[in-house]
Amino acid sequence: MLLTISTTHTPATDLGYLLVKHPDRVQSFATTGGTAHVFYPQSDPDRCTVALLLEVDPVELARPAKGHHGFALGRYVNDRPYVASSLLAVALGKVFRSALNGTSRDRAELATTAIPLEIDVPAVPCRAGADLVERLFAPLGWTVATATAPLDPEFPDWGESPYVHLRLTGTLRLSAALNHLYVLLPVLDDAKHYWVSEDEVDKLLRAGDGWLGEHPERELIARRYLAGRRSLTQTALERLRSVDDQVDDATSDTDAVERRAPLVQLRKEAVLAALAETGATRVLDLGCGPGALLLALEADHRYTEIVGADVSSAALSIAERRLRFDRMSDRQRARISVLQSALTYHDDRLRGFDAAVLMEVIEHVDEARLPALERAVFGHAAPGAVIVTTPNVEYNARYETLDGHRHDDHRFEWTRAEFAAWTARVAATFGYTAELRPVGDLDADLGAPTQLALFRKA
């Protein structure tokens, strides 16, 4: 079972730093069902290729608890050692863990940079046809090429093999590419080699952070990844809806827009960039929900104190699970916490912070209650900076199937002029300056899909 990843980024040998695997060594790792080997067939400044070869142990594979057997002898006669499956996804997660998480001790900036990538997987199960591969990978920015062969050249009447040779090319962050593979290879195989429990929902949402919520095939992905378990699939989709302020089944009239980075990812990146500009180290995530932004803040060690606040105890429980509070050391737990708080009431626990973020929050508050939120956040908590994002209702015209607000719980959505007027009034009332920024694809007439305001204490 083989997978290769190549780049022509200069110097291409930086791939070794991102993967934390030295190009001059062959390394082996024990993993579920066998041994994973990592080596570099090519390592030059102009082009570098890393190979992950999973050698499956047939004795381990034959154990009763392993795999999808399908028939009486399926435990002994199957394709598991030869095709990309959940076994390969688990090996990816173990061998390239830091790269999957988007961190790099030696090349931190490069880990957040899109680089040219080529991914080659010689045998991918695809019983639903090659069209499914295109539907899964193309919306994520990949150029997809597949090739099939006869099931047996000696017997052409048997038809085509249910496997494809998959080649992906694109310019993406390495962490995004690895997370795409981690989720979608098992989805294409549509079989898990281990029992699927509630923990798999957390794994799916963690790996799908920033792209799964807006993927047009998210329901199919969730169902297949979770082995068809209806209750787990429903849980995953509900959590996706609560995390991502998405437009259901929205379509665009151009392929270029379909292949853009998901808006939820662009929004989070814009917020993190604005936050970094403020120089803040003690940060509030107000209306943090299930913790999508908290995960990114926790991964950035410039932030010495992080507090997420939300009125929903259920959302905070999900955030705690996603952040793995139960596995954190005392030192880590001292750095990040969550608390239940209503943003329309004064809360002394929220005072004294360098910055606060309200990412896609204000539109969930009744307009009549906005003055109370303003007094509580800008007046009472009074952080040194406040970052606010909210949808631009004018841009909704670009979503052909949208009828009404982008989310069922939105109480309002503002035009650019309305948001600018609100921003100016709040800044003048509470002693801040304010700067407006567009987030996402900019339309000459309609503006950007998301609008961002950066408030700074005057």
Side-chain angles (χ1 to χ4, degrees):
M1 193 184 303
L2 179 69
L3 178 149
T4 63
I5 303 171
S6 305
T7 185
T8 53
H9 163 80
T10 305
T13 48
D14 277 352
L15 184 62
Y17 288 104
L18 294 179
L19 295 171
V20 199
K21 301 292 179 288
H22 199 290
D24 293 338
R25 300 175 189 162
V26 176
Q27 296 176 264
S28 300
F29 306 84
T31 185
T32 302
T35 305
H37 307 281
V38 179
F39 56 94
Y40 289 76
Q42 182 178 4
S43 179
D44 300 319
D46 297 329
R47 183 179 177 84
C48 187
T49 299
V50 64
L52 174 63
L53 176 66
L54 180 58
E55 187 178 14
V56 173
D57 181 351
V59 175
E60 178 67 17
L61 193 66
R63 297 186 187 278
K66 302 293 183 183
H68 171 72
H69 306 309
F71 65 105
L73 294 178
R75 180 183 308 172
Y76 308 100
V77 182
N78 55 66
D79 60 4
R80 301 297 84 184
Y82 314 110
V83 302
S85 67
S86 58
L87 289 165
L88 184 58
V90 169
L92 272 173
K94 180 169 185 178
V95 174
F96 299 140
R97 183 181 301 276
S98 60
L100 266 163
N101 293 335
T103 59
S104 173
R105 182 183 61 187
D106 300 301
R107 297 292 187 274
E109 184 176 350
L110 185 60
T112 62
T113 302
I115 61 175
L117 293 170
E118 300 173 21
I119 295 174
D120 192 275
V121 192
V124 176
C126 193
R127 293 166 184 82
D131 174 65
L132 179 59
V133 184
E134 181 80 19
R135 284 158 46 202
L136 292 179
F137 284 100
L140 301 174
W142 293 105
T143 298
V144 182
T146 58
T148 58
L151 187 61
D152 189 326
E154 298 296 323
F155 300 93
D157 292 343
W158 288 3
E160 294 293 303
S161 161
Y163 308 98
V164 299
H165 185 150
L166 173 62
R167 179 170 287 115
L168 303 172
T169 55
T171 301
L172 295 90
R173 290 175 293 111
L174 180 62
S175 61
L178 293 175
N179 278 291
H180 296 164
L181 294 170
Y182 181 83
V183 172
L184 297 181
L185 289 180
V187 167
L188 285 167
D189 187 33
D190 199 18
K192 283 288 182 77
H193 68 275
Y194 55 86
W195 174 251
V196 174
S197 65
E198 292 183 2
D199 289 347
E200 291 298 294
V201 176
D202 292 330
K203 292 180 185 178
L204 173 62
L205 297 188
R206 189 160 54 247
D209 187 31
W211 61 272
L212 180 56
E214 294 191 353
H215 198 292
E217 299 290 346
R218 59 187 173 276
E219 292 187 17
L220 180 145
I221 293 170
R223 184 176 68 252
R224 284 188 165 212
Y225 186 88
L226 298 168
R229 294 191 59 185
R230 182 176 299 178
S231 62
L232 297 183
T233 302
Q234 289 176 342
T235 297
L237 293 174
E238 287 170 4
R239 286 175 56 180
L240 277 173
R241 281 191 288 270
S242 68
V243 171
D244 300 327
D245 178 27
Q246 61 192 16
V247 180
D248 291 335
D249 300 322
T251 58
S252 173
D253 56 358
T254 66
D255 289 340
V257 172
E258 287 177 359
R259 292 172 181 250
R260 71 188 187 278
L263 179 58
V264 65
Q265 175 185 326
L266 296 175
R267 182 190 303 126
K268 183 164 64 175
E269 290 174 353
V271 167
L272 292 172
L275 194 58
E277 288 178 31
T278 69
T281 59
R282 302 177 65 243
V283 179
L284 290 169
D285 181 8
L286 301 178
C288 66
L293 183 62
L294 290 176
L295 284 167
L297 295 173
E298 194 272 337
D300 192 330
H301 291 283
R302 83 181 76 192
Y303 302 115
T304 58
E305 184 179 359
I306 305 161
V307 173
D310 201 280
V311 72
S312 169
S313 59
L316 294 176
S317 295
I318 294 171
E320 290 180 353
R321 289 201 301 271
R322 296 181 74 190
L323 289 160
R324 299 186 177 185
F325 274 14
D326 59 334
R327 303 184 187 181
M328 284 185 177
S329 66
D330 291 342
R331 181 179 178 183
Q332 290 173 310
R333 285 289 289 113
R335 179 170 166 256
I336 185 167
S337 60
V338 296
L339 55 88
Q340 189 172 15
S341 181
L343 302 184
T344 53
Y345 294 92
H346 293 187
D347 189 334
D348 290 341
R349 297 173 296 174
L350 305 181
R351 292 174 61 86
F353 283 79
D354 300 331
V357 176
L358 293 109
M359 186 170 72
E360 306 301 285
V361 171
I362 61 172
E363 64 274 10
H364 293 270
V365 178
D366 289 326
E367 282 196 83
R369 296 291 292 156
L370 274 182
L373 180 145
E374 296 162 12
R375 292 190 295 270
V377 174
F378 293 90
H380 187 74
V386 182
I387 299 164
V388 179
T389 71
T390 194
N392 167 23
V393 71
E394 297 168 76
Y395 195 88
N396 289 358
R398 292 287 298 274
Y399 300 116
E400 297 176 357
T401 62
L402 182 63
D403 183 15
H405 291 159
R406 297 189 198 178
H407 193 286
D408 292 341
D409 189 52
H410 285 188
R411 310 307 168 87
F412 64 88
E413 290 178 359
W414 280 337
T415 65
R416 287 169 290 172
E418 288 170 329
F419 185 57
W422 178 83
T423 299
R425 180 180 60 76
V426 169
T429 301
F430 297 100
Y432 286 81
T433 62
E435 175 189 350
L436 297 177
R437 300 177 181 180
V439 178
D441 294 326
L442 192 61
D443 184 282
D445 298 319
L446 304 176
T450 294
Q451 36 196 349
L452 179 150
L454 172 57
F455 296 85
R456 299 176 191 259
K457 254 315 188 186

